[in-house]
Amino acid sequence: MRRWIPLLLLLFLLTGCTASNEQENSYRQISMDEAVTMMEEESGYIILDVRTQEEFCEGHIPNAINIPNETIGSEEIQELPDKDQLILVYCRSGNRSKQASGKLVELGYTNIVEIGGINDWIGDTVSEK
């Protein structure tokens, strides 16, 4: 029986390491209000709109860049060269931004924050019509 105790302890330690690893390989979710505060306090971040080009042109958060969710795959993204940079991801309602955030994490991005949908944005928008 005493021989099993070290093995069980090792198993618990390895399980704990795996759980924290999963947290590190994920993205954070915050509300749009929290995102506005973060934008006021932080610098050097990217605002990423993952809607279609047409939706983006109709109106987007100022200074956002557009990379549609559907185009994010397994290849490197030239517009996002720094994988440690803070990237705030949004779409229309929050569904595509969650999908895109997961894909970005899979590509090795380490500082992804999903902020929901532009439907909850209270600030000005920029239109390219």
Side-chain angles (χ1 to χ4, degrees):
M1 179 67 177
R2 289 184 182 201
R3 291 168 58 193
W4 290 102
I5 292 174
L7 289 174
L8 289 174
L9 288 173
L10 180 63
L11 180 63
F12 286 125
L13 287 174
L14 291 175
T15 303
C17 291
T18 303
S20 67
N21 234 0
E22 288 174 10
Q23 277 186 331
E24 290 175 14
N25 295 331
S26 188
Y27 60 90
R28 291 186 297 153
Q29 288 181 271
I30 63 174
S31 70
M32 192 59 80
D33 289 337
E34 291 170 306
V36 169
T37 301
M38 183 179 277
M39 289 176 201
E40 292 169 352
E41 296 174 353
E42 299 285 335
S43 62
Y45 57 84
I46 289 178
I47 303 170
L48 177 60
D49 185 320
V50 295
R51 299 175 298 156
T52 66
Q53 180 69 37
E54 295 79 25
E55 290 173 299
F56 181 79
C57 289
E58 289 174 5
H60 57 271
I61 295 174
N63 302 315
I65 65 169
N66 179 234
I67 303 173
N69 177 44
E70 296 76 21
T71 66
I72 300 172
S74 59
E75 297 180 16
E76 297 296 315
I77 302 171
Q78 292 178 354
E79 298 91 342
L80 304 173
D82 183 356
K83 292 193 174 187
D84 296 321
Q85 185 173 20
L86 174 59
I87 303 174
L88 306 172
V89 184
Y90 77 94
C91 63
R92 182 182 55 81
S93 64
N95 185 39
R96 288 177 282 180
S97 58
K98 287 177 182 61
Q99 293 172 10
S101 294
K103 290 192 254 184
L104 290 169
V105 167
E106 289 295 318
L107 287 171
Y109 291 89
T110 61
N111 203 1
I112 303 298
V113 179
E114 192 273 326
I115 62 174
I118 196 167
N119 290 346
D120 296 324
W121 176 253
I122 56 171
D124 293 333
T125 60
V126 178
S127 170
E128 297 182 17
K129 287 185 179 181

